[in-house]
Amino acid sequence: MSLYVPQPRVPLQDWCEWTGNSWDKVQAVVGRSFRRPAPYEDAYTMAATAVLRLIRQYNVDPRNIGQLSLGTESSKDNSAGAVIVRGMVDRELERLGLPRLSRQLEVPEFKHACLGGVYALKSALRYVAFDAKGKQAIVVCSDIAEYERGSSGEQTQGAGAVAMLVEADPKLFEVDLAHAGSASDYRGPDFRKPFARHFDQDYGQRSKRAHDFPVFSGKYSTFAYLDETGQAVDAMLERLGISDLDFINGADGLFFHRPYHMMPLQALAFIYARALARAPQPNAEFQALCEQAGVSAEGVVEECRNKPDLYGEFVRLGGGADAAQEPHPLTTKLSGVVRKSAAFQKLLAERVKLGTDWAMELGNLYTAALPAWIAAGFEQALESNTDLSHARLYAIGYGSGDASEAIPLKVVPQWREAAGKIGFRKALAAATDLSQQQYEALHDGKHAELSCPPRDQFRIARTGNTYEASFQDLGVDYYEFVP
């Protein structure tokens, strides 16, 4: 695995001073900082930089790569995608005197909100298992999460890319795709990026630059996240043939998609509450927590059987903010008490701690958020001399709209050598803190005096502007590598 994050950084403590928000609350719920792409980079340059780092750090033979899959929701081109990344990497490999990527390379792009990277990973796994004939695959997740200034999502911005090498003889962990759980359901206006919004005059006046701010309802999106991740975990447990409690008690590490720090904890508490409710024998802990939460134990058990139609209910109630109804009100209330319980805090300390602290420096990376947390977990385990050999890990991905994947992982005995080459801490160290004026100018597309020139990365060299009958490159970006 390899990581790239842009240099411009917004410390959230500073952001709280600029905006009048509570630092104590933001730090506990969101994290400590987020990155913003510099004007000379985009999702493709970040992806290409991460891929090049992967090839160089692990001495990968580019000629042996049979698939390069890109997971992103920050595409700038509705035709090309991963092949743009390929083009950048090829030219820099050539400059370095190395072979270019195989001409037989597949270059698919996967889009489904934040889950696109997991779908890209599943494609690469299937390629290596069935088509590769000894070749490897590279998966790269690259995204830019941006929200309007003053919106409820502003503090959950971020940017970065993670690249992963997929091979039949893995050096970090095995992926048990046969027992993975999938879930999806259409959720209407849950976190969308429709093109039509750019043609609305009022929407367009909110920013002086091209942007990709989503339209979303925070409460409705939270309901969807909890419901769909729970459904995916249920599907995985059914294929594994184990109970909810066996899953939680037997896991050595749990990694979730994390748009911000608190969301995975909410999801795990929700899953934990349902695990207690589904226990085959009467559970004293469950009864005590229900009493503390002021909810009916029988009601929670009944809710566990629900397969709610969130969008159907949304439509039935006429749409709008008031139509976002909590599908599991008792379980959600119970999970709020669960999060504060001693047993759950012990679970966090033992099975969720790896990489969590480092991930709080990243912000929201959309498709790259889950693999970035996993990468942080491996590098931190190496630094703290934590033995992960044969550890059972679970990765739960999510994409608004919505869909979720729950996948079992198993750490291989020789993981330390590969973990030592990830470079997570080194990638984080390349940072330039922005002032309020710099951040606002950068966010709003105005000229910003930045002291972070590109180094050891790809950048946009120029953008085409020709639109003639004989030749057109209007809006096409041309890229170059800056040593």
Side-chain angles (χ1 to χ4, degrees), residues 7 43 46 58 67 81 97 139 153 180 211 229 233 272 276 282 318-319 348 359 363-364 371 381 435 455:
Q7 296 178 61
M46 295 191 301
Y58 291 90
Q67 185 182 95
V139 177
H211 56 74
T229 52
V233 169
Y272 185 89
L276 295 176
L348 295 183
N364 188 359
S435 68
R455 54 176 182 261

Side-chain angles (χ1 to χ4, degrees), residues 205-221:
Q205 289 177 348
R206 297 180 187 180
S207 176
K208 300 301 182 183
R209 68 173 179 89
H211 56 74
D212 206 21
F213 303 146
V215 293
F216 69 100
S217 167
K219 186 167 68 170
Y220 185 59
S221 293

Side-chain angles (χ1 to χ4, degrees), residues 335-356:
S335 66
V337 173
V338 163
R339 283 203 310 272
K340 301 173 184 177
S341 70
F344 187 75
Q345 290 301 313
K346 184 172 184 288
L347 172 65
L348 295 183
E350 293 177 351
R351 299 178 177 91
V352 188
K353 65 176 180 179
L354 284 177
T356 298

Side-chain angles (χ1 to χ4, degrees), residues 71 289 322 364 389:
L289 289 169
D322 294 336
N364 188 359
S389 300

Side-chain angles (χ1 to χ4, degrees), residues 252-451:
D252 296 305
L254 295 161
F255 298 90
F256 288 73
H257 168 58
R258 49 181 304 145
Y260 52 89
H261 173 66
M262 185 57 69
M263 184 61 88
L265 308 187
Q266 287 180 291
L268 182 55
F270 181 80
I271 291 167
Y272 185 89
R274 295 203 312 171
L276 295 176
R278 290 170 170 172
Q281 303 298 327
N283 189 300
E285 180 188 4
F286 174 59
Q287 294 292 337
L289 289 169
C290 285
E291 290 178 9
Q292 188 178 345
V295 299
S296 161
E298 294 77 13
V300 174
V301 171
E302 183 61 32
E303 277 188 356
C304 289
R305 303 188 184 100
N306 290 350
K307 302 245 184 233
D309 180 3
L310 263 68
Y311 182 58
E313 187 68 7
F314 178 85
V315 171
R316 188 185 69 81
L317 293 174
D322 294 336
Q325 297 297 308
E326 168 63 82
H328 308 278
L330 301 180
T331 312
T332 301
K333 188 175 181 181
L334 174 62
S335 66
V337 173
V338 163
R339 283 203 310 272
K340 301 173 184 177
S341 70
F344 187 75
Q345 290 301 313
K346 184 172 184 288
L347 172 65
L348 295 183
E350 293 177 351
R351 299 178 177 91
V352 188
K353 65 176 180 179
L354 284 177
T356 298
D357 189 60
W358 292 8
M360 293 179 75
E361 302 289 348
L362 290 173
N364 188 359
L365 304 189
Y366 283 166
T367 57
L370 174 58
W373 186 7
I374 294 173
F378 272 96
E379 190 168 310
Q380 191 172 32
L382 184 68
E383 286 196 4
S384 62
N385 200 29
T386 300
D387 187 12
L388 290 180
S389 300
H390 304 292
R392 287 171 294 181
L393 312 178
Y394 293 91
I396 293 90
Y398 175 76
S400 297
D402 63 58
S404 181
E405 294 282 331
I407 307 176
L409 315 174
K410 185 179 179 181
V411 182
V412 299
Q414 70 273 23
W415 67 273
R416 288 181 178 84
E417 182 179 354
K421 299 178 181 179
I422 292 172
F424 190 99
R425 188 186 286 278
K426 182 180 178 181
L428 283 185
T432 300
D433 289 342
L434 300 178
S435 68
Q436 180 178 2
Q437 292 74 22
Q438 288 173 321
Y439 161 64
E440 291 178 354
L442 188 61
H443 183 283
D444 297 347
K446 301 175 183 176
H447 177 70
E449 292 288 346
L450 302 178
S451 57

